[in-house]
Every structure is written in structure tokens, then in C-alpha cells.
Amino acid sequence: MIGALEAGGTKMVCAIFSDQGALVDRVSYPTETPIEVMPKIIAYFKQYPELKAIGVGSFGPIGVNPELESFGYITTTPKLAWQHYNLYGTLKEALPLPIAWTTDVNAAAYGELRQGAAQDVKNCLYLTVGTGIGGGVVVNEKVVEGYAHPEAGHMLLMRNEQDDYEGFCPYHKNCAESLAAGPAIEGRWGKKAIELTDNPEVWELEAEYLAQALYNYYVTLSSERFILGGGVMKQSQLFPLIRAKFAELNNGYLELPELESFIVPPQLGDNAGITGCYELAKDLIEANV
Amino acid sequence: MIGALEAGGTKMVCAIFSDQGALVDRVSYPTETPIEVMPKIIAYFKQYPELKAIGVGSFGPIGVNPELESFGYITTTPKLAWQHYNLYGTLKEALPLPIAWTTDVNAAAYGELRQGAAQDVKNCLYLTVGTGIGGGVVVNEKVVEGYAHPEAGHMLLMRNEQDDYEGFCPYHKNCAESLAAGPAIEGRWGKKAIELTDNPEVWELEAEYLAQALYNYYVTLSSERFILGGGVMKQSQLFPLIRAKFAELNNGYLELPELESFIVPPQLGDNAGITGCYELAKDLIEANV
């Protein structure tokens, strides 16, 4: 059996998979403080002494570079109780098993690559557009980490000349998160995204920013699939608009995949993250055999 | 023995390496038309019947996706005689050997990773800033290719508000190549880069654009090293300016590598490309054993 933990900013999803990959059990706990929720998570996994490994996909930023002291920690999150908390180390101490460790969005990207919307390709990017924008990247069937992990939501963008919304990211006025995450929509138009469904100008501008970010990922990665999820992407009218803007930005330059099957919603829904955690843990077991 | 061909827009560099990786011979031919230069290249490699494989890094765009008809071709290059020319196929027919095939900049990135400025890391990006801007990408010690290959020079950028130069890329007004390659410097300031060495405002703006491109690569790839070469980068005063602008754009958000050893010039100089071609051919032999 293999364990999976999707450590999210609002809930902690724990799951157990069989060796054949079947989801055997799944629970979730609110993300209170570490001292409240970590014992529940540890007790949950301890119920399964036959566990061979655990895969963890965590909200971030997190330390993923084994050569830095920050490895295993949730680092500069605005969630104060979790700042500089050693999530990996705490789990490893309580559960002495191989533990795969990456970001929640890298795990979701990998889950979609192995079992979801990108299972026929080797390179994909998963973008979640909600209260923030996060991106997970898979290249050659491996999640991308380098000095740190991708922070694709902070891609710097050209601002639309008519747009005078100042942006809400405290670090970058013009990054994708600052201009196109849920709070940017609300800040610019004065209403929540969900109340703006019928205002085409909202979605035209949103699509312009998201397409620009995708175009920049594409020239860097040549991804075979872009998977867009998160609360804002429930506005499914965005998909055709983003595809059209993407083609417009390309302006005939690069050979592109057929857009309809290139920029797509997730297939695994709420299970993308834990599925990716399971797959990463399985890889870890296989690599150690 | 292993062969290497760096197919550039102005010259074709052919080289022979020993199995131990020593450069045994190196010649170069002007990049005339295929009908003129291809027989020379083929005759050169035919002198070495003991060749086990050849690595090719070509100017582009090229077809690298084996599932597309464009595989092996130089595709939409402005060099008319080479448009839609099957370089890989022509070599393969004349020299029935394993042939590694990627872009010139991917080969240079891989050469620098194996033997040059990035030999201590697993992830790097090589950017050449000259008559155009090209980028090669290595992730987890492999060159990045997906649906096609990276075209990192066409990263879309925020324009500096004071800059009214219109850009020269026929496809994108605001891409890095359009705003920061050699012809953009000449177009904006009315003189060649080399005559502008003493004009600090030229290099401040150039550094602003290049740092922006690097920042966007960084949030996507989390690269451990950025290697900047090409004619424009001979203006070595750019390096400290780019590092400073990069830190400014980050604005304290991401944990960054020490900048001095992060944004660096190439170490292999003119041999980066053929060294990468050799290394790719060697990998191909090892994968087939």
C-alpha cells in the first residue's frame, strides 16, 4: 500500500492506494495549525503498517533542494502557523518510510500526466487559477525542480493598456497572479468572479493575461498540454477565449498543437493532487528497488 | 569515435571526438546552400569509417517531434535555401549511424552542462544574444523538447514605458528578441552595439529586458544556472546590471542562488555547441547498448 498527502492551504487530504493504484481510502482534515492537524495525519497513516511509501504535495513555497537548509520546510507562506514548518521532517520522523516531496501543483501536474488529461504525452504544465495562481511543471515525465521549484504564477506579463488595476501581489505588480487570480478580478471589477459571468469584458481581459502566461511557458518548455484548473477556471467560457488569444499572440510563428486538445481542463478533478502523490511515491519505491 | 555537427546560420562546424571525449579534429564550412555544403559535410564524416554516432545541433526552427512530418527538417527559417530542408534525413541516408538531433542552442546548453559553466548542476538555460535571441534548456540533465523545441528568445516582455522602439521581430512586437537582440539595439539607438559601449543608458535598458526574460524562465524552470553568450554579451558590463535587475524584479520573493555564480558567461566559448553534440551522440550510443 502507498500513502498520499495533499497538504493544501484549507484542507489536508490523506489517502491510501493499493499497490495496483486503486484508491482504498480518503479523508480530509481542515488545515488548522501544525500542532492540531499533524497528529491527526500521522495517526491516520499509522493505521496502515503495510505502507511502503508516502507521497506529499504541499502548498508552498516549500524547500525542495536537498542541498539547502530549507529542504522539507514550508517556507515563506502567509499562513503564519506554517511559516518555516518542517513538514517533511515531521512526517519522516513519525513514519520512517520513503517520502516523496514536492509542491501541490507539481503533484497535480504529475497526476494528470500519469492518469488524467496528459496521459498520452510526456510534458505538461498544470495551472491552478484561484485565490492565487500556481503552476506545476512536468518535463520528460518528471516533475521540474531545480534550485527551488517553479513559481509559474509569478510570470511577469505585459499589462493591457486600458487596465488600471494596480495588482495585488505584494512582490510583483504585473505578474500573472497579481493581474489574473481571483482577488485581481474582484479588485478590478468590484464583484466576485462568480457574479461577473455575464460580463464579457471581464473574461476577455482574463483570457488575455492567462494566454500571455501560457505563451511564455510554451516558448520556454514547448509543453504538449496545458491543464487549467482552480476556481476561476470554472468559468468555462474562458477556454475558447484563451485558445484564441494564444493563437493571436503566436501570430503564425510557432507550429502549435491543435488548440482544442492543447489547452484543457483537468480530468482528475479533486483527485489530481493525491493521484500525483501516489505516483511519485510509487516512483520512489521503484527507484530504490 | 563520435562525430559532431553544429549547423549554424553562417558556418557549419564539423568535429570528431575520441571515445574518451578528446577533440580530434574540427573544420568549418560556410553555410552556403544545402547543395553546396552538404556534400562537404558528408565527405568529411565519411573519412572516419569508425564513427559510432553523430550529434547534430542545428539552427532553426527545426522539427524535433518524431510524430510530426516536420521531424528532421529545418522549417520556417528566413534562410530561403534551407527552408523545409531535411537535414537529419539527408545525413541519415548518407551516414547510416545513430544521429542525435536538436537545436544549436539546446546542444550548447547541454555542452555547458556536461563540461562547462553548468557542470556542477542538473538544470540550466543557455541564451545567445546576437542577431537574434535563442535559448536552449536542460532539465534533469536532458535537453528540453516537447511538442516542438523551446523558442525562449520569443518570451513576451513588459515594455519599458520610455522605450518607443517598435521592435523588429515580424511576429511579436514585445518579445525578448524584438526588444533586445543586436538589431533592436542598433534600431533603437542608431548605432551598432559595439559603438555604444560607453552609453550607460543603452546597457541599463538592455539589462532590464534580459533580466525580465531570465526572471520568467526562472519562475517556470527554477534553473540552477543561466549562461549568457552571443555577440551582445561580449559587452561584459551587462552581467552585473542583469544580476541587479533580476534581484530587483524578484523583490525579495523567491530564494535565489548567489547571483554572481548564477548568471554567468559560457565557459566553452566556440566549442559549446560541438561539445554538446558530442555528449548527445554519446548518450544515444549508451541508451542503445
Side-chain angles (χ1 to χ4, degrees):
Chain A
M1 282 185 166
I2 289 176
L5 167 61
E6 187 184 6
T10 50
K11 62 186 175 175
M12 295 284 186
V13 182
C14 301
I16 302 293
F17 289 81
S18 74
D19 287 345
Q20 287 71 44
L23 180 60
V24 174
D25 192 53
R26 185 187 202 277
V27 299
S28 90
Y29 307 110
T31 306
E32 303 156 309
T33 61
I35 210 163
E36 291 165 301
V37 73
M38 289 304 294
K40 294 178 198 167
I41 293 169
I42 289 163
Y44 175 80
F45 287 120
K46 285 213 174 195
Q47 295 175 89
Y48 300 90
E50 60 276 57
L51 276 191
K52 286 189 218 150
I54 300 178
V56 182
S58 176
F59 70 99
I62 64 174
V64 294
N65 184 338
E67 288 176 25
L68 300 181
E69 284 184 15
S70 58
F71 180 81
Y73 283 73
I74 296 179
T75 59
T76 54
T77 171
K79 293 180 78 72
L80 293 181
W82 291 89
Q83 265 181 16
H84 307 293
Y85 179 72
N86 189 354
L87 176 54
Y88 172 89
T90 304
L91 285 174
K92 188 84 184 172
E93 201 178 300
L95 304 153
L97 293 168
I99 297 182
W101 168 248
T102 193
T103 59
D104 48 0
V105 278
N106 263 352
Y110 196 59
E112 291 286 345
L113 184 99
R114 285 286 173 229
Q115 297 190 27
Q119 60 188 286
D120 56 327
V121 297
K122 293 184 178 175
N123 302 279
C124 73
L125 185 141
Y126 175 95
L127 202 71
T128 175
V129 187
T131 53
I133 299 186
V137 186
V138 178
V139 167
N140 283 330
E141 304 184 70
K142 303 262 181 221
V143 298
V144 171
E145 290 171 355
Y147 181 80
H149 54 75
E151 282 281 353
H154 294 271
M155 170 70 63
L156 304 173
L157 302 180
M158 299 183 278
R159 178 180 277 279
N160 179 297
E161 285 173 19
Q162 264 79 60
D163 182 18
D164 55 11
Y165 171 64
E166 70 275 16
F168 79 98
C169 167
Y171 301 100
H172 317 104
K173 280 191 184 171
N174 295 319
C175 72
E177 178 164 302
S178 204
L179 295 173
I185 299 175
E186 193 175 343
R188 180 183 294 115
W189 305 98
K191 288 183 193 170
K192 288 201 182 297
I194 205 159
E195 301 170 63
L196 293 160
T197 306
D198 298 328
N199 297 44
E201 69 277 23
V202 172
W203 309 109
E204 282 287 330
L205 185 62
E206 181 71 10
E208 179 182 321
Y209 288 136
L210 293 176
Q212 227 190 98
L214 295 189
Y215 195 72
N216 280 351
Y217 306 139
Y218 189 68
V219 299
T220 310
L221 295 163
S222 206
S223 301
E224 293 164 283
R225 190 115 337 127
F226 289 121
I227 304 158
L228 307 186
V232 171
M233 296 308 303
K234 306 271 187 217
Q235 301 283 333
S236 61
Q237 73 274 23
L238 276 170
F239 282 94
L241 295 172
I242 292 169
R243 293 181 193 121
K245 296 275 183 193
F246 189 95
E248 207 178 286
L249 289 169
N250 185 51
N251 196 16
Y253 180 57
L254 300 170
E255 198 176 352
L256 299 178
E258 191 269 304
L259 294 168
E260 196 87 10
S261 53
F262 175 49
I263 299 173
V264 299
Q267 269 181 18
L268 302 179
D270 288 347
N271 286 332
I274 54 164
T275 303
C277 293
Y278 155 74
E279 293 283 353
L280 288 166
K282 193 171 65 128
D283 290 351
L284 197 58
I285 295 171
E286 284 165 9
N288 287 341
V289 166
Chain B
M1 283 185 165
I2 290 176
L5 167 61
E6 187 183 6
T10 51
K11 62 185 177 178
M12 294 284 186
V13 183
C14 302
I16 302 293
F17 289 81
S18 73
D19 287 347
Q20 287 71 43
L23 180 60
V24 174
D25 192 52
R26 184 187 202 276
V27 299
S28 91
Y29 307 110
T31 306
E32 303 156 311
T33 61
I35 210 163
E36 291 164 300
V37 73
M38 289 304 295
K40 296 178 197 168
I41 293 169
I42 290 162
Y44 176 79
F45 287 120
K46 285 213 173 194
Q47 296 175 90
Y48 300 91
E50 60 276 57
L51 277 190
K52 287 190 217 148
I54 300 179
V56 182
S58 176
F59 71 99
I62 64 175
V64 294
N65 184 338
E67 288 176 24
L68 301 181
E69 284 184 16
S70 57
F71 180 80
Y73 283 73
I74 297 178
T75 59
T76 54
T77 171
K79 293 179 79 71
L80 293 182
W82 291 89
Q83 265 180 18
H84 307 294
Y85 179 73
N86 189 354
L87 177 54
Y88 172 89
T90 304
L91 286 174
K92 187 85 185 172
E93 201 179 300
L95 304 154
L97 293 168
I99 297 182
W101 167 248
T102 192
T103 60
D104 48 0
V105 278
N106 263 352
Y110 196 59
E112 291 286 345
L113 184 98
R114 284 286 172 228
Q115 297 190 27
Q119 60 188 287
D120 56 326
V121 297
K122 293 184 178 175
N123 302 279
C124 73
L125 185 141
Y126 175 95
L127 202 70
T128 176
V129 187
T131 53
I133 298 187
V137 186
V138 178
V139 167
N140 282 330
E141 303 183 70
K142 304 262 181 220
V143 299
V144 171
E145 291 171 353
Y147 181 79
H149 55 75
E151 282 282 352
H154 294 271
M155 171 69 65
L156 303 174
L157 303 180
M158 298 183 279
R159 178 181 277 280
N160 179 296
E161 285 174 19
Q162 265 77 61
D163 182 18
D164 55 10
Y165 172 65
E166 69 277 15
F168 78 98
C169 166
Y171 301 99
H172 317 104
K173 280 190 185 174
N174 295 320
C175 73
E177 177 164 301
S178 204
L179 295 173
I185 298 175
E186 194 176 340
R188 180 184 294 116
W189 305 98
K191 289 184 194 170
K192 288 201 182 297
I194 204 159
E195 301 169 66
L196 293 160
T197 306
D198 297 329
N199 297 45
E201 70 277 22
V202 173
W203 309 109
E204 282 287 330
L205 184 63
E206 182 70 9
E208 179 181 324
Y209 287 136
L210 293 176
Q212 226 191 99
L214 294 189
Y215 195 72
N216 279 351
Y217 305 139
Y218 189 68
V219 299
T220 310
L221 294 163
S222 206
S223 300
E224 292 165 284
R225 189 112 343 124
F226 288 122
I227 303 158
L228 307 186
V232 171
M233 295 308 302
K234 305 273 188 215
Q235 302 282 334
S236 60
Q237 73 274 24
L238 275 170
F239 283 94
L241 295 173
I242 292 169
R243 292 180 194 123
K245 296 275 183 192
F246 189 96
E248 205 177 287
L249 288 169
N250 186 51
N251 196 17
Y253 180 56
L254 300 170
E255 198 176 351
L256 299 179
E258 192 269 302
L259 292 169
E260 197 87 10
S261 53
F262 175 47
I263 298 174
V264 299
Q267 270 181 17
L268 302 179
D270 288 346
N271 286 332
I274 54 164
T275 302
C277 293
Y278 156 74
E279 292 283 353
L280 289 166
K282 193 170 66 129
D283 290 351
L284 197 58
I285 295 170
E286 284 164 10
N288 287 341
V289 165

